[in-house]
Amino acid sequence: MEFLRPATLAEALETKAAHPEAVPLAGGTDLMVELNFDRRRPPALLDLTRITELAEWSEVDGHIRIGATVPYARIITELGSRLPGLAMAARTVGSPQIRNRGTLGGNLGSASPAGDGHPPLLAGHATVELASVRGSRRVPVDAFFLGPKRSVVEPDELVVAVRVPPATGPQQFAKVGPRNAMVIAVCAFALALHPENGTVGTGIGSAGPTPLRARDAEEFLAAELDWAGGRPLPEGVAERFGELVAAAARPIDDVRGTAAYRGHALAVLARRTLTWAWRDHTGRGSCG
């Protein structure tokens, strides 16, 4: 196995073009497990840890641009107030050691339906920035995933950053697992309220072949919320929202849970996150 260690992004892109079979290595929290258990044996690894421009975040054109190798721990401490939903999800990732090493770019590169960072990116209308020697392109995150552990990333491309609009309203994230920490989600749900334009964002994790949005639920809720007046949630709105979220999922039975349980749990998570988010928006309790 070759170990390729470029010092700059330009060099990394040239190396990836010359070795399209090389697997990018950032935090290694997913890849090293696969290597250790001999589930994967790529001909080459492309180490990205020396590339400074991938390890920083900045504000660009009104968006927060997070480099692909920024670890979860920094998202929590440095971006928690501006991207609260993503920070909530980051806090649920593994252990402190994993959060210090694991990266959002690696999460996207793995393209797992259970990736904790994916639902808040969907709810927040994020864009993934890809680059190769041919140039760069931006892909809306809801068009990024193609199937289980498959994405639109071409063999000569690297995930270099994620662009996320700063939160303009309450955001929430919740997941269900066999225990409270260091667990792959049985299912997960993210919610973002966008009061500036009266819209809602959702993200479903670990309940389909890819992370998903609940578009019918978004449209329903956006029409029902009293954005200007902030009245309590009308009777039945949270219940119906939960039903629509569950209907948007495409779960399966596996060792972590049944499809029926995932659907039920998603409806519960949707109701709870809506209640919490609307309470944050209005500054008071709700009837949801």
Side-chain angles (χ1 to χ4, degrees):
M1 184 185 299
E2 286 190 86
F3 189 74
L4 310 170
R5 202 176 188 207
T8 67
L9 180 57
E11 185 182 343
L13 297 178
E14 291 171 1
T15 304
K16 190 70 166 106
H19 302 271
E21 75 286 353
V23 177
L25 173 65
T29 56
D30 287 336
L31 179 59
M32 294 309 297
V33 172
E34 293 183 327
L35 294 178
N36 288 340
F37 284 92
D38 207 25
R39 294 172 184 160
R40 194 174 189 182
R41 193 58 58 181
L45 296 180
L46 180 60
D47 180 17
L48 304 178
T49 59
R50 296 174 64 197
I51 303 173
T52 304
E53 55 254 67
L54 296 183
E56 300 297 334
W57 65 269
S58 59
E59 187 163 1
V60 180
D61 299 329
H63 289 64
I64 305 296
R65 183 181 184 273
I66 306 171
T69 65
V70 174
Y72 291 110
R74 288 184 57 200
I75 292 174
I76 295 167
T77 59
E78 299 173 25
L79 294 171
S81 63
R82 307 185 71 185
L83 301 173
L86 186 58
M88 289 177 190
R91 291 188 187 98
T92 74
V93 174
S95 63
Q97 296 91 333
I98 295 296
R99 293 192 288 274
N100 282 331
R101 292 291 299 173
T103 68
L104 196 58
N107 211 201
L108 287 163
S110 298
S112 168
D116 291 321
H118 302 152
L121 293 180
L122 286 166
H125 308 310
T127 302
V128 183
E129 191 175 320
L130 307 174
S132 69
V133 293
R134 297 177 285 111
S136 62
R137 61 183 177 126
R138 299 177 196 170
V139 180
V141 73
D142 56 2
F144 179 80
F145 304 100
L146 299 179
K149 298 193 174 182
R150 293 192 301 113
S151 71
V152 299
V153 180
E154 297 290 344
D156 65 339
E157 286 184 313
L158 292 173
V159 175
V160 296
V162 183
R163 296 181 181 230
V164 193
T168 58
Q171 297 183 350
Q172 290 288 336
F173 173 84
K175 77 177 186 180
V176 171
R179 58 185 184 180
N180 289 332
M182 298 179 65
V183 64
I184 299 174
V186 175
C187 62
F189 182 70
L191 174 67
L193 302 184
H194 307 292
E196 80 286 0
N197 57 16
T199 62
V200 173
T202 60
I204 296 171
S206 206
T210 67
L212 300 164
R213 283 176 62 185
R215 297 180 186 274
D216 288 346
E218 293 174 2
E219 294 177 7
F220 164 78
L221 187 59
E224 293 291 333
L225 295 179
D226 179 22
W227 296 100
R231 289 194 300 271
L233 293 173
E235 180 107 18
V237 165
E239 188 78 23
R240 180 57 179 157
F241 178 65
E243 292 172 355
L244 290 171
V245 167
R250 294 160 58 193
I252 60 171
D253 296 336
D254 64 15
V255 295
R256 286 180 285 123
T258 65
Y261 176 74
R262 285 185 163 98
H264 169 76
L266 278 171
V268 173
L269 294 183
R271 294 197 301 267
R272 289 179 179 173
T273 53
L274 171 57
T275 301
W276 299 334
W278 194 244
R279 181 185 61 205
D280 290 344
H281 178 65
T282 62
R284 58 175 180 264
S286 73
C287 69

